[in-house]
Amino acid sequence: MESAGCSAAAVRTRDMESQRDLSLVPERLQRREQERQLEVERRKQKRQNQEVEEEKRDFFTAAFARERAAVEELLEGTESVERLEEVASRLQGLQKLLNDSVLFLTAYDLRQRQEALVRLQAALAERRQELQPKKRFAFKTRRKDAASCTRVGAAPGIPPAAESIQDSPLPQKAEGDFGSSWVCGFSNLESQVLEKRASELHQRDVLLTELSNCTVKLYGNPNTLRLTKAHGCKLLCGPVSTSVFLEDCSDCVLAVACQQLRIHSTKDTRIFLQVTSRAIVEDCSGIQFAPYTWSYPEIDKDFERSGLDRSKNSWNDVDDFNWLARDMASPNWSVLPEEERSIQWD
């Protein structure tokens, strides 16, 4: 009897479990249906986002092409320095358009447009140079004129021509070339403190090349800046209206503010940066970035003249053309730790 009772209880238990399992079937089906609908919704949303990005990319591509063509037409037909200011303003608008489109462009498309912008800036600088009044030839007595480049702490025996670049063309490189001739700068110097004042730099193109263990202070508002073949140098520069280009540099410290920064073949360099677009590094290693902190008495006025937006700083938004993986950080650049950002500029 006891055995029969146990068997009956076991049967009732199995029946109850079967009924409970049957009651769970609709819940499982409902849960699967919900998961399926969620997946369908996710795919739909992803497809819509892709379509929106494609529409935005097409819009910005067309707008960039139209504005680029307009700038090229203005450059070809401009015969006065005053009209060049309109070209410069259109170029700033083109830079802003490019800044707004970086989220929708591939790395290749972004690079192509940035290079096109650099070429237009080069053409503007060249046109400015062509439209400058020609200096009349005149004999001059041999005397030591006050140099337009202020040089502090110069070593004796170095001729001024080796130190200061004034209105003389230098060999150009196609990549990162900002103009047909560099009208201002320093070259072939070692262990010097070099300066240029705002009156010397305003909207001029600056080239610094083959410097070693030098400190360079550029007060004012240049149009472009290029630093090449520098080692162990400190460069402090006021706001640059357009582009800054670094190439073949090592163990340097820079403070620069600009629309666009491009760094090529450079290593072990710290950059205190104010930039309105994404910086670009290529074939680089050991590059560290921090916010721009250099200041001097007239810097606010220089920022106004430059047209840069001080409220926008993309100092830590960097594209590495040698590192296209989106899910891993580039090993070639990093953010400078805050405890290492305290620098005595003067």
Side-chain angles (χ1 to χ4, degrees), residues 310-339:
R310 293 192 77 175
S311 66
K312 184 175 182 180
N313 190 1
S314 303
W315 65 272
N316 58 350
D317 290 334
V318 181
D319 287 325
D320 183 353
F321 283 168
N322 298 108
W323 189 263
L324 301 180
R326 293 179 176 269
D327 56 341
M328 294 180 63
S330 167
N332 300 318
W333 71 272
S334 62
V335 171
L336 185 67
E338 291 190 16
E339 61 270 17

Side-chain angles (χ1 to χ4, degrees), residues 153-312:
I158 299 178
E163 305 159 10
S164 175
I165 303 161
Q166 296 294 327
D167 305 315
S168 59
L170 290 179
Q172 301 297 305
K173 292 193 176 182
E175 184 176 10
D177 186 11
F178 296 143
S180 62
S181 64
W182 296 96
V183 297
C184 190
F186 298 103
S187 68
N188 299 297
L189 291 169
E190 182 176 355
S191 303
Q192 305 296 324
V193 178
L194 309 164
E195 290 186 2
K196 278 186 175 294
R197 312 306 300 183
S199 58
E200 304 170 80
L201 287 180
H202 182 63
Q203 286 302 298
R204 302 183 75 181
D205 301 320
V206 180
L207 172 63
L208 308 171
T209 183
E210 297 188 37
L211 303 178
S212 179
N213 299 312
C214 290
T215 295
V216 184
K217 297 181 181 180
L218 305 177
Y219 301 93
N221 167 220
N223 180 49
T224 62
L225 170 64
R226 181 170 178 171
L227 176 67
T228 68
K229 299 179 181 178
H231 174 74
C233 292
K234 180 188 290 185
L235 169 62
L236 314 177
C237 185
V240 179
S241 292
T242 56
S243 300
V244 173
F245 184 74
L246 275 67
E247 185 176 33
D248 294 333
C249 299
S250 62
D251 298 303
C252 293
V253 178
L254 291 83
V256 292
C258 56
Q259 273 191 358
Q260 182 185 45
L261 172 68
R262 185 162 182 177
I263 311 169
H264 189 264
S265 301
T266 293
K267 63 180 182 179
D268 302 328
T269 292
R270 290 175 291 167
I271 302 174
F272 292 78
L273 180 63
Q274 171 92 30
V275 65
T276 56
S277 63
R278 297 173 70 92
I280 295 173
V281 299
E282 188 172 16
D283 299 328
C284 296
S285 63
I287 308 298
Q288 292 183 297
F289 292 95
Y292 183 80
T293 55
W294 189 46
S295 184
Y296 53 90
E298 299 295 321
I299 194 169
D300 291 336
K301 292 182 179 179
D302 289 333
F303 263 104
E304 290 178 7
R305 297 187 188 103
S306 72
L308 298 180
D309 184 358
R310 293 192 77 175
S311 66
K312 184 175 182 180

Side-chain angles (χ1 to χ4, degrees), residues 127-139:
R127 199 77 180 112
R128 274 199 178 109
Q129 186 72 6
E130 291 173 353
L131 295 177
Q132 289 297 326
K134 300 293 187 296
K135 295 181 179 179
R136 293 184 177 180
F137 175 80
F139 289 103

Side-chain angles (χ1 to χ4, degrees), residues 139-145:
F139 289 103
K140 294 184 179 180
T141 58
R142 287 184 172 273
R143 62 186 180 86
K144 187 175 179 180
D145 295 325

